[in-house]
């Protein structure tokens, strides 16, 4: 991996090594993908203020996230079906995050279950919750996260209805998934490394759901159940119910509006994530970076503000921090590494972003994460 210089390099290798239906599931967004593109493009438009002849010999990326110290202000975001990008993908990603000294967030829609990941890593991780119509299942998920000693609960609130992802329909990433569609069979046959890995693990279903339903051992039946379970009635009052079960730190992910940010403060969440679900939900919504400053200005003194959406480099992390975020989540960036090289690829993605962030800090005359503010940006 010595010649891998950036996240895009990992993306290109991921694209070659993983079946198209799974690569596109991660790489694409909803409808015309306007918001997906805006997330990336709006970050690029933000320019830095270069400073010179400043002692930058003691640069330090360490910071605190929800009161805990981490090696850098970076979090691996929850990504569904990670274990289909690389065999046992959630375990490999969590190990890489913990080795790098940053948090990992396990998705409700993971292939490896909460218990699988907990048994195969050394430290607690975060768990992301989708509240299903079956409240008994949601309660059981929270209780399993407690038993696994998960250190934070990330409640995703922007998936009550699902934005249409055109590429998934074209590829057969539907309910049920069309794995044996002729073009998918041909494509999968050209990915022997991926096939060997997937066939070599028993984890090929949604691990947190398989076993909850009678006869739910096959992917088709689980997928059909999940499609019927997203709850359009979910509202702010339900957070009191979640709080009655979950005793730890609560993060609300999917905030794009100042009024919603105020509500997140009112319900007592410890943090919120400014996020548009990576451009996979409401197409035509603003980019995450566009709305970040106003949300920080409005509630940043009352709640920890995290950022998610479009980060492909350490420079992007610096941009979000400069506009008030306390930490940043990456999803696609580390999944590209996972699909390309497994766990070492995730480690490479984290390393790339960390080194880019450190270099950018230096060229802006900054030594500490806590020194980063709007002064590092060009007028």
């Amino acid at each position: 991996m010595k010649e891998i210089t950036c996240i895009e390099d990992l993306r290109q290798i991921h694209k070659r090594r993983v079946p198209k239906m799974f690569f596109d599931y991660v790489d694409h967004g909803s409808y015309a993908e306007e918001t997906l593109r805006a997330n990336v493009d709006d970050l690029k438009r933000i320019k830095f203020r270069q400073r010179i002849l400043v002692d930058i010999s003691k640069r330090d990326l360490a910071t605190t996230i929800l009161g805990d110290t981490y090696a850098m202000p970076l979090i691996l975001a929850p990504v569904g079906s990670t274990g289909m990008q690389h065999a046992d993908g959630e375990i490999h990603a969590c190990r890489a995050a913990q080795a790098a000294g940053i948090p990992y967030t396990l998705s409700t829609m993971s292939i490896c279950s909460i218990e699988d990941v907990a048994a195969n890593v050394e430290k607690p991780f975060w768990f992301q919750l989708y509240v299903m119509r079956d409240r008994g299942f949601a309660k059981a998920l929270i209780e399993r996260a407690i038993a696994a000693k998960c250190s934070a609960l990330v409640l995703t609130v922007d998936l009550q209805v699902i934005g249409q992802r055109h590429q998934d329909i074209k590829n057969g990433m539907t309910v049920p998934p069309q794995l044996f569609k002729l073009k998918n069979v041909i494509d999968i046959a050209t990915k022997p490394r991926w096939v060997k890995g997937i066939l070599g693990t028993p984890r090929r279903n949604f691990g947190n759901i398989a076993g909850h339903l009678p006869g739910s051992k096959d992917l088709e039946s689980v997928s059909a159940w999940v499609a019927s379970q997203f709850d359009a009635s979910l509202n702010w009052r339900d957070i009191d119910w979640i709080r009655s079960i979950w005793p730890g730190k609560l993060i609300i992910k999917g905030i794009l509006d100042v009024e919603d940010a105020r509500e997140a403060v009112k319900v007592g969440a410890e943090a919120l994530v400014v996020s548009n679900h990576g451009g996979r939900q409401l197409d035509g919504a603003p980019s995450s970076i566009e709305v970040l400053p106003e949300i920080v200005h409005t509630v940043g003194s009352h709640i920890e503000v995290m950022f998610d959406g479009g980060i492909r480099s350490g420079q992007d992390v610096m941009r979000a921090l400069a506009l008030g975020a306390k930490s940043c989540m990456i999803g696609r960036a580390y999944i590209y590494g996972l699909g390309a090289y497994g766990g070492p690829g995730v480690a490479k993605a984290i390393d790339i972003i960390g080194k880019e962030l450190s270099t950018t800090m230096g060229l802006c005359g900054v030594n500490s994460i806590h020194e980063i503010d709007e002064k590092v940006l060009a007028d």
Side-chain angles (χ1 to χ4, degrees), residues 54-105:
V54 177
D55 182 354
I56 51 170
S57 61
K58 297 180 180 179
R59 298 191 306 286
D60 184 5
L61 303 189
T63 191
T64 58
I65 302 173
L66 293 177
D68 296 322
T69 300
Y70 292 98
M72 68 181 88
L74 196 68
I75 302 154
L76 298 196
V79 178
S81 301
T82 294
M84 296 308 290
Q85 304 296 333
H86 186 280
D88 304 332
E90 290 89 359
I91 293 170
H92 292 297
C94 189
R95 285 174 175 169
Q98 293 185 353
I102 65 173
Y104 171 77
T105 316

Side-chain angles (χ1 to χ4, degrees), residues 1 3-18 23 191 193 335-341:
M1 284 190 283
E3 295 182 357
I4 301 297
T5 61
C6 60
I7 298 300
E8 179 60 22
D9 287 348
L10 292 172
R11 178 181 175 275
Q12 291 300 326
I13 296 169
H14 178 197
K15 187 175 183 179
R16 293 198 301 268
R17 292 187 170 181
V18 172
F23 172 80
K191 309 293 188 298
R193 182 190 306 229
I335 293 294
Y336 294 148
L338 180 72
Y341 294 108

Side-chain angles (χ1 to χ4, degrees), residues 18-22 178-195:
V18 172
K20 186 177 187 296
M21 64 189 305
F22 295 115
Q178 299 173 44
L179 291 172
F180 300 107
K181 197 173 183 178
L182 180 59
K183 69 175 185 179
N184 289 335
V185 171
I186 293 171
D187 181 45
I188 288 170
T190 67
K191 309 293 188 298
R193 182 190 306 229
W194 180 88
V195 171

Side-chain angles (χ1 to χ4, degrees), residues 233-247:
S233 72
L234 184 69
N235 62 78
W236 288 106
R237 292 188 299 275
D238 290 305
I239 294 181
D240 289 336
W241 174 75
I242 293 168
R243 277 293 202 189
S244 72
I245 307 166
W246 173 255

Side-chain angles (χ1 to χ4, degrees), residues 59-63 70-73 353-355 357-358 361 367 369:
R59 298 191 306 286
D60 184 5
L61 303 189
T63 191
Y70 292 98
M72 68 181 88
I353 289 176
K355 286 179 177 176
L357 175 59
S358 178
M361 287 169 58
N367 281 292
I369 293 297

Side-chain angles (χ1 to χ4, degrees), residues 258 261-262 265 272 294-305:
V258 167
R262 289 194 178 106
V265 173
L272 65 83
E294 186 180 5
I295 289 174
V296 169
H297 175 75
T298 304
V299 302
S301 61
H302 304 290
I303 192 171
E304 194 160 317
V305 178

